Amino acid sequence: MSLSNNTNRSAQRGSLLGLFVSGGIAFVCGWLMTLSYFLVIESGEITDSTNGFVETAKLAGWLYQNGQFAPVGVAYRDGNIAFNLLTDSSPVDVPGRGVIASPSWVYVAIAFLTCAAVSYRRAEITSATGIIRGALKGLIIIPGMLAFSFGSVFLFRIDGIGPHFFLAPLISGLLFPAVAGALGGMVRAYQYKRHSAKMDSGSDAS
């Protein structure tokens, strides 16, 4: 009885951990891909407008969340400044602002594809068989994305500016991964359904 209870508790802890791991992987991979793109394509080097690699990495965090339509700003100061580096003219002096030349859809695609890919893989691992079930499996990235998005509000700050305290977790931690995650899971479930149908038709023919 004790062994069974311990096994159940271990399984519950593993499931809880899995809720955060998938989203954490999606967030970190998306951020690193954004950082790599920014360094290689946008500027090719760490520019003088950013104070070293740490600030550049933080700026990439802004762009990653801007790619999910979550604004940068300061939510608790007078004026509630909120802006998107990819689509808006910045109301403040932002490090690296002049070196962002790529169209905004590039950063949107990076954020979307990383979320969808992790959700796709999650649905594949759990063998989601229906479109609805696939979508639900894809949503498993939300807890981790939400936690990391909230943490980024504090970790990605440069001179008092960073991801918006309220809108960043709401949009990049909840709304955006909900859409991308559900679609990723649905695609995998649809592929599984088509593959199963082909296997069944092959078996009937034989």
Side-chain angles (χ1 to χ4, degrees):
M1 188 70 174
S2 177
L3 180 60
S4 177
N5 290 336
N6 289 337
T7 302
N8 290 336
R9 282 195 293 269
S10 298
Q12 290 173 355
R13 285 194 295 269
S15 299
L16 183 61
L17 181 62
L19 289 174
F20 290 94
V21 169
S22 296
I25 290 174
F27 188 96
V28 172
C29 287
W31 167 54
L32 290 177
M33 289 183 65
T34 301
L35 175 60
S36 299
Y37 182 88
F38 177 69
L39 289 175
V40 175
I41 305 300
E42 294 283 17
S43 62
E45 61 182 357
I46 300 174
T47 64
D48 292 337
S49 58
T50 55
N51 185 22
F53 183 78
V54 172
E55 283 73 17
T56 303
K58 291 180 179 181
L59 179 60
W62 295 12
L63 295 173
Y64 172 57
Q65 294 193 313
N66 284 169
Q68 300 175 72
F69 311 107
V72 171
V74 184
Y76 48 83
R77 290 184 180 178
D78 293 340
N80 290 324
I81 299 172
F83 55 93
N84 188 316
L85 290 174
L86 303 175
T87 59
D88 303 331
S89 58
S90 172
V92 294
D93 184 18
V94 178
R97 179 66 180 92
V99 299
I100 303 170
S102 297
S104 59
W105 65 262
V106 173
Y107 290 95
V108 176
I110 291 173
F112 184 88
L113 291 176
T114 50
C115 285
V118 172
S119 296
Y120 178 98
R121 178 56 179 164
R122 185 66 187 183
E124 183 178 42
I125 292 174
T126 56
S127 301
T129 55
I131 299 298
I132 300 301
R133 186 174 178 82
L136 292 175
K137 290 296 182 180
L139 295 179
I140 200 171
I141 67 171
I142 289 179
M145 286 288 292
L146 185 60
F148 275 70
S149 295
F150 184 75
S152 72
V153 170
F154 306 98
L155 295 177
F156 290 161
R157 303 200 75 76
I158 302 176
D159 297 331
I161 306 170
H164 196 282
F165 185 81
F166 173 71
L167 294 178
L170 174 65
I171 298 174
S172 68
L174 181 61
L175 300 180
F176 190 91
V179 175
L183 287 175
M186 289 170 66
V187 168
R188 174 52 191 166
Y190 176 73
Q191 290 181 339
Y192 182 86
K193 183 178 180 180
R194 289 194 62 185
H195 178 72
S196 298
K198 288 182 180 180
M199 293 293 291
D200 292 340
S201 61
S203 299
D204 295 338
S206 62

